[in-house]
Amino acid sequence: MAELKVGVLASGRGSNLEALITRARGYRVVAAVSDRAGSLALERAKNHGCAAVHIDPAAFSGREAYETAVADALAGFGAELVCLAGYMRLVGKVLLERFSGRVLNIHPALLPAFPGLHGQRQALEYGVRFSGCTVHFVDGDMDTGPIILQAVVPVLGDDTEETLSDRILAQEHRIYPEAVALYAQARLTLEGRRVRIG
Ligand code: GRF
């Protein structure tokens, strides 16, 4: 079976992008696209011999024009699935229509708890005993799409935002490639908002 071609959208550090590249099984990351010039994510992609493109949102008249350029770039690399990995923009209808049912995201909390920014800080401040991370399909709202995989970590008494984030990040790097591998093997089926793993 041909390997699934995956495009990654990333804005910053790019550690999940790197995990998706180095832990790929049954898929291949064909390109990284970033809305930020000079992001570490683009550097990491290049270091792994992966195409790396900066598309500047400021160069477009609005979100639709910008997303059209992003979707065209991804399609140009043959991407069949799009993974958001620390992509700091809400994905709009242009990308979601062009890649319908084919956009995934990773979030650093156990959704539906603590959506949005700083999921780790929110968990710490709320006082939960466990948190973790979630890989889900993207549906146009903030962190609300059907859940594919989650991993749980304990919140320890002396945790800081940084120590908790590190513990969660190790799990992100494990479950994101695993979820993409499941998708690549066509083992995910949507029933309502439940994702069955076959
Ligand atoms: C991760 O914590 C991810 O869950 C969140 O943004 C962070 C990105 O980190 N969406 P990195 O750029 O993948 O290192």
Side-chain angles (χ1 to χ4, degrees), residues 3-198:
E3 279 182 331
L4 181 86
K5 293 187 179 123
V6 175
V8 178
L9 297 183
S11 300
R13 182 177 57 180
S15 71
N16 276 289
L17 160 73
E18 187 155 41
L20 286 169
I21 294 172
T22 59
R23 298 183 175 189
R25 216 165 19 92
Y27 71 87
R28 188 161 55 88
V29 176
V30 291
V33 177
S34 180
D35 56 332
R36 298 207 185 144
S39 63
L40 190 52
L42 291 178
E43 280 310 307
R44 292 196 204 233
K46 285 185 211 153
N47 290 342
H48 287 283
C50 187
V53 188
H54 167 232
I55 300 180
D56 183 3
F60 297 88
S61 53
R63 183 158 85 174
E64 294 202 355
Y66 162 70
E67 284 205 348
T68 301
V70 172
D72 286 346
L74 290 167
F77 289 110
E80 300 159 282
L81 177 74
V82 179
C83 290
L84 312 183
Y87 183 61
M88 301 305 286
R89 291 171 181 275
L90 253 188
V91 169
K93 75 173 194 323
V94 171
L95 266 167
L96 289 175
E97 276 168 16
R98 289 273 294 273
F99 291 91
S100 177
R102 297 184 291 143
V103 183
L104 308 188
N105 182 42
I106 178 110
H107 181 74
L110 293 174
L111 293 172
F114 314 126
L117 288 176
H118 309 300
Q120 306 94 327
R121 189 190 305 167
Q122 292 185 58
L124 205 54
E125 285 173 356
Y126 195 93
V128 291
R129 299 293 183 199
F130 294 90
S131 190
C133 50
T134 303
V135 181
H136 63 93
F137 285 102
V138 173
D139 69 356
D141 275 320
M142 176 82 87
D143 302 324
T144 52
I147 290 169
I148 301 170
L149 291 178
Q150 293 186 302
V152 179
V153 307
V155 180
L156 305 179
D158 57 356
D159 262 335
T160 61
E161 186 178 349
E162 194 185 355
T163 58
L164 178 59
S165 298
D166 287 348
R167 192 174 308 122
I168 292 172
L169 195 62
Q171 297 304 314
E172 295 184 35
H173 295 165
R174 185 176 66 78
I175 68 169
Y176 210 178
E178 195 180 323
V180 176
L182 289 170
Y183 182 98
Q185 295 163 47
R187 290 175 59 191
L188 304 179
T189 336
L190 211 52
E191 287 173 12
R193 59 161 296 124
R194 293 184 75 187
V195 178
R196 295 245 175 242
I197 302 177

